[in-house]
Amino acid sequence: MRLSKIFDAAQDPKGLGQEIVAGITDFTALMGSLLVVPLFLQQAGIPLAGAYTASVLAALLGTLLLGVWVKRPLLLVPDAGIGAWLVYQVVIAHGASWQDALGASLAAALLCLLFCRAACHRHFLQGIPVCLRIAARGGLGLFLIFLG
């Protein structure tokens, strides 16, 4: 099966070549998450080899499923901001076990997936002011800078 048939690249005016370059660029930019998230998780007590393997497998599986689902070559990797929040706020500050934190994270991700598939999610997103959406992104960036 050809990639252009899987991702509908023939209908895309940019073409498959530009999509491949964009994929390589995205991977290069997000590769830091694949290095940083396991280091965060190690601080919560998860063995580094297991955390790294799980992060890579989650990125691989998520990217493949997302590509097949939406028929676009999109990249999905574990988020450094969520990983830092889980480790420093949930596990270290509040004393939760890393197993409980990862279980809650999985439950939240599944609920988010169901919510995004529901038709009503656009109404909720439109209710969030644009300035708050922009501030949330900036706040997450400052949080990661503060962590070092």
Side-chain angles (χ1 to χ4, degrees):
M1 189 177 270
R2 296 180 53 143
L3 284 176
S4 59
K5 289 188 183 259
I6 294 172
F7 295 122
D8 296 330
Q11 299 172 2
D12 193 351
K14 293 179 282 194
L16 187 59
Q18 187 170 354
E19 290 291 342
I20 290 172
V21 170
I24 292 169
T25 304
D26 285 349
F27 175 76
T28 304
L30 295 174
M31 192 170 50
S33 285
L34 291 177
L35 299 174
V36 171
V37 170
L39 293 174
F40 284 149
L41 295 175
Q42 182 187 24
Q43 293 178 6
I46 301 173
L48 182 61
Y52 185 75
T53 303
S55 294
V56 169
L57 290 176
L60 178 67
L61 182 64
T63 299
L64 290 175
L65 288 176
L66 191 63
V68 170
W69 187 14
V70 299
K71 296 193 184 303
R72 291 283 179 222
L74 299 172
L75 187 63
L76 188 66
V77 297
D79 183 48
I82 300 289
W85 177 77
L86 273 175
V87 170
Y88 294 114
Q89 284 296 316
V90 177
V91 175
I92 294 174
H94 293 292
S97 70
W98 65 265
Q99 294 92 341
D100 290 342
L102 289 181
S105 178
L106 176 64
L110 292 176
L111 285 174
C112 185
L113 178 66
L114 291 174
F115 179 70
C116 288
R117 293 297 296 164
C120 65
H121 83 280
R122 284 183 175 42
H123 298 291
F124 290 105
L125 292 177
Q126 289 172 350
I128 300 172
V130 175
C131 61
L132 187 57
R133 285 185 245 165
I134 293 170
R137 283 184 249 153
L140 180 60
L142 288 174
F143 175 62
L144 290 174
I145 290 169
F146 178 71
L147 292 175

